[in-house]
Amino acid sequence: MKTYPADSPEAMARVLAMVMLADARLDDRELQALERLDLLRLIGLTREQFSQVVKDYCDELLAAGAAGGKINLMDKARIDTIVDGVQDERKRTDAASMALILMKADQQFHDAELALLRYTLGRWGLSLDELQRSLAG
């Protein structure tokens, strides 16, 4: 599995890629939200750099599927490795807020996305209330 330096823009982008693909599809509205809200600039990546992070993540999923016979998008070991790449509390809050924004982009919350968000928030020691305050402030 590819790793990035802790708290790097790529580590944050990897969390977003994981969330965007949690429902097993990359929705154009999620990509449009990234651009419309200038989220990539906020984390410090170009669209091309973000696309490479997403491609690398997809390649890893496909390799894991080829090795094990199926792709498990909710593999806890993979999720832990990815979310543990963001250690700074502010960056965790920012990444979780961005993830929530992207989840809402297609006008529906998928069970897998919600489960992933809840798990990530728990792993990071964040609550939905803290996330809501962050989005409001």
Side-chain angles (χ1 to χ4, degrees), residues 1-134:
M1 179 181 296
K2 187 165 186 150
T3 58
Y4 300 99
D7 297 327
S8 66
E10 292 84 2
M12 289 183 68
R14 193 164 174 81
V15 170
L16 299 181
M18 179 178 62
V19 168
M20 292 170 74
L21 291 164
D23 62 355
R25 56 188 284 259
L26 187 60
D27 193 294
D28 286 339
R29 292 172 288 189
E30 294 166 336
L31 296 170
Q32 291 165 356
L34 272 175
E35 289 187 10
R36 184 178 69 253
L37 300 171
D38 212 11
L39 298 180
L40 295 179
R41 183 189 59 77
L42 292 174
I43 62 173
L45 290 179
T46 65
R47 184 176 186 171
E48 292 76 24
Q49 291 168 315
F50 180 75
S51 294
Q52 186 62 52
V53 171
V54 173
K55 180 190 178 306
D56 291 344
Y57 180 67
C58 289
D59 288 347
E60 290 170 15
L61 291 173
L62 291 172
K70 70 175 191 168
I71 297 173
N72 180 3
L73 295 173
M74 300 304 284
D75 178 73
K76 286 196 188 313
R78 183 182 331 99
I79 293 168
D80 288 348
T81 299
I82 291 170
V83 300
D84 289 350
V86 181
Q87 298 172 358
D88 178 79
E89 186 176 324
R90 180 74 239 167
K91 290 186 179 200
R92 285 178 170 181
T93 303
D94 289 347
S97 297
M98 290 178 194
L100 184 58
I101 288 167
L102 295 175
M103 288 170 54
K104 293 185 338 184
D106 64 1
Q107 307 300 314
Q108 55 185 322
F109 288 106
H110 299 274
D111 290 341
E113 292 171 332
L114 291 171
L116 180 58
L117 181 65
R118 275 191 224 106
Y119 182 81
T120 300
L121 291 177
R123 182 114 177 135
W124 283 346
L126 293 171
S127 70
L128 284 173
D129 288 337
E130 290 171 302
L131 193 56
Q132 186 177 13
R133 282 193 298 275
S134 170

